[in-house]
Amino acid sequence: MTGATTAAAPTAVAGSPTRTAEGKPRHLYEVDVLRILTFACVIGVHTTSHTVADDDVPLNALLGLLHFTRLVFFSLTAFVLVYSYDLRPRPMAQFWPKRFLLVGVPYLAWSFVYVAASWLLSSTRRGDVPDLVRTYAEGIVTGVAWYHLYFLLVTMQVYLLLPVIVWLVRRTRGHHVAVLAVAMLVQLVVFAGYKYFPESAAWLNGYQKQFFFSYVFFIVSGAVAADHADAFLRFIRVHRTGVLWGFAAVGVGTLGVWTVQVLAGQSLYAAGTPLQPVQAVWSTAVFVGFLAIGARWADRRRPGSLLARVVDYGSDRSFGIFLSHPFVIWLLLYGDSWLEGHVAKPWLTLVTYVLVVVLSVLVTEAFRWTPLSVPLTGRPSLAKRRRVR
């Protein structure tokens, strides 16, 4: 019994947050938890947006809190990119093809799936092939083939900018606090313009969320955090309690801003939109808060345990679930939906969320075993991997 306990000891006891006791790079399980939690909230945003009643105060307040997801993901994207590049530097001629294969191909594939499905279901457009081609081309260029695909478009912009991001991080070493302060100031100004002075962004024609500069602080902060990954993750561990209390406090403050804006005359939904100054602060708190939760998990993770396998599975399938879950929502709520006709609000939101999670996991799992795994899930086929073994 004693031997079994020793073998199952937590994985992050020796070494550092990023290195094993032997000095080898450690898998960052805390990042897996951050990814899963954020993707779960993405599904929450989209499910709630489609099912919430306009006058439902609690659910609209929750929706306002959940709108951190895109901002946290851009921090995570930059963190993983720079951290991986620092571990294994390589020419962009090698880096770009792999990254664009696993994101660009799904972007093209799912853009077509969503555009074609909408086209087929439209009695006025169905059969008009030039309309299908035109709509597909516009969707690819602008990221509006479906409401979540802009995220992949911005992600590819970040990939293209990686040499500039790495240069900036390295060139400003010793001044990263100042860099973060300037980036946050720029972010607050940009978001204030989008939220309170919409005419200032008229030149973007409503495409604010499709450009990387709308997320400058989150890209820069993720890259800087990666450059200090060991110290950053150690700080989160040492000050976990303070980080989590700060996370909770900023959440309360964010709800306070939402309440003030509602009282000032904004709609319940408009008060919680994602591109506004308070979300810059709240999303930063969520990023470090989720990492603190993930670090606690990583330090106590027991390899081979059921929970460890579930987390590993969720992290691996998360991107595929992200790609497919809006389609599941669409199918569940399309037209005279049976679900909407038989489940009253606000329970509709919870029931739809559970169904979307379960069905998206099943759909993604099925895709993973087909030759279409890369375009539909962004991951290599499991069937091919098994044949190679």
Side-chain angles (χ1 to χ4, degrees), residues 3 14 34 38 48-49 77 87 93 123 127 144 146 154 167 179 182 194 204 272 313 336:
L34 168 62
T38 308
T48 305
S49 296
T77 298
L87 283 180
S123 59
V144 297
W146 209 243
V154 178
W167 173 85
V179 169
V182 171
Y194 290 166
L204 290 171
Y313 178 92
D336 295 325

Side-chain angles (χ1 to χ4, degrees), residues 7 62 115 128 205 216 221 249 254 258 277 287 309 313 319 350:
L62 174 63
V115 167
D128 187 347
N205 295 313
V216 61
S221 63
T254 303
W258 178 85
F287 181 76
R309 294 198 300 272
Y313 178 92
F319 185 50
L350 177 60

Side-chain angles (χ1 to χ4, degrees), residues 360-371:
S360 297
V361 169
L362 292 175
V363 167
T364 301
E365 184 62 24
F367 288 157
R368 285 300 306 275
W369 292 92
T370 73

